[in-house]
Amino acid sequence: MFIQMIQAPCTRQDDAHELIDEWRRDLSPGATGWLGGTYGFTDDGQLMAVVRFASREEAMANSERPEQGAWAERFAAVMDGPMEFHDCDDVTLLMGGGSDEAGFVQIIRGRVDDPSRLKAMMADSETLHEMRPDILGATLAIEDDGSFVETVAFTTEEAARAGEQVEPPADVRAELEYAMQGATFHDLHHPWFHSA
């Protein structure tokens, strides 16, 4: 799997939402390998989009379509600043990945010097699910320099906030502290989803 995360300041949120829905309706049928996307806006007016493709090659082929280029120009025009892109070939799914049933999504951006340690923590989904039943699933996308984008789907924001108060076992806490050191958290209170 290949994940591209896009972030940009956006006050024209209704226009951006309409364009993303238009892409799903009109352009996704010709986007080979497109799997889906998670979208939303943060409280400080950032558009966050996490788009999934089966492979980097298919994502790049989509970017080269003329109709994609025309749409991308219109999309960039409703942003308040440049879009930031993060392309990740190294993707780990937690509990099958995200969920289109989520009522709340948190996107976590950070960087680690040992991605295998972070992936090992994510792979222990049984422990995590027992500890945090509010988590429906997640994706972990890692760039070559150890930067990561983790997209976590929760049942509701209320359940997520309650889950944050649960004290993890000492070994889990140590791994969380390692992974989340310096990380930034982006809350999507009203996420929306598209799937192939």
Side-chain angles (χ1 to χ4, degrees):
M1 185 185 291
F2 172 78
I3 280 181
Q4 182 176 73
M5 196 281 283
I6 305 157
Q7 180 175 350
C10 179
T11 51
R12 294 174 59 185
Q13 296 184 1
D14 290 344
D15 292 337
H17 197 313
E18 283 179 19
L19 280 164
I20 289 169
D21 291 349
E22 177 188 310
W23 188 93
R24 171 65 179 104
R25 185 185 67 243
D26 298 340
L27 274 73
S28 72
T32 303
W34 176 73
L35 301 174
T38 298
Y39 313 93
F41 299 98
T42 62
D43 289 338
D44 63 350
Q46 294 286 313
L47 164 79
M48 307 292 289
V50 179
V51 184
R52 304 181 306 279
F53 275 84
S55 69
R56 176 184 288 267
E57 292 72 26
E58 287 166 316
M60 296 306 113
N62 173 67
S63 296
E64 291 166 7
R65 295 191 297 158
E67 60 269 36
Q68 176 67 27
W71 177 89
E73 282 186 21
R74 293 168 56 217
F75 190 61
V78 304
M79 299 300 134
D80 298 328
M83 291 187 284
E84 185 180 331
F85 294 86
H86 295 274
D87 295 339
C88 308
D89 294 293
D90 187 347
V91 176
T92 301
L93 303 182
L94 175 69
M95 294 185 283
S99 171
D100 290 359
E101 304 305 313
F104 174 64
V105 169
Q106 198 166 61
I107 296 175
I108 305 165
R109 293 188 54 194
R111 190 170 185 275
V112 291
D113 56 9
D114 184 359
S116 61
R117 180 175 172 185
L118 178 58
K119 289 197 288 187
M121 180 183 76
M122 291 284 289
D124 187 10
S125 58
E126 190 173 328
T127 298
L128 186 59
H129 190 57
E130 285 176 10
M131 195 172 66
R132 296 291 303 272
D134 53 303
I135 296 177
L136 296 171
T139 58
L140 173 67
I142 303 175
E143 294 180 81
D144 291 340
D145 68 352
S147 298
F148 68 84
V149 177
E150 184 178 358
T151 306
V152 188
F154 297 91
T155 52
T156 64
E157 183 169 3
E158 183 181 40
R161 299 305 179 202
E164 288 172 359
Q165 305 307 312
V166 175
E167 185 65 29
D171 57 336
V172 175
R173 170 167 284 287
E175 293 305 299
L176 284 170
E177 287 175 353
Y178 164 73
M180 299 303 147
Q181 184 176 3
T184 57
F185 294 76
H186 307 271
D187 294 342
L188 307 184
H189 304 289
H190 305 287
W192 79 98
F193 313 92
H194 290 309
S195 293

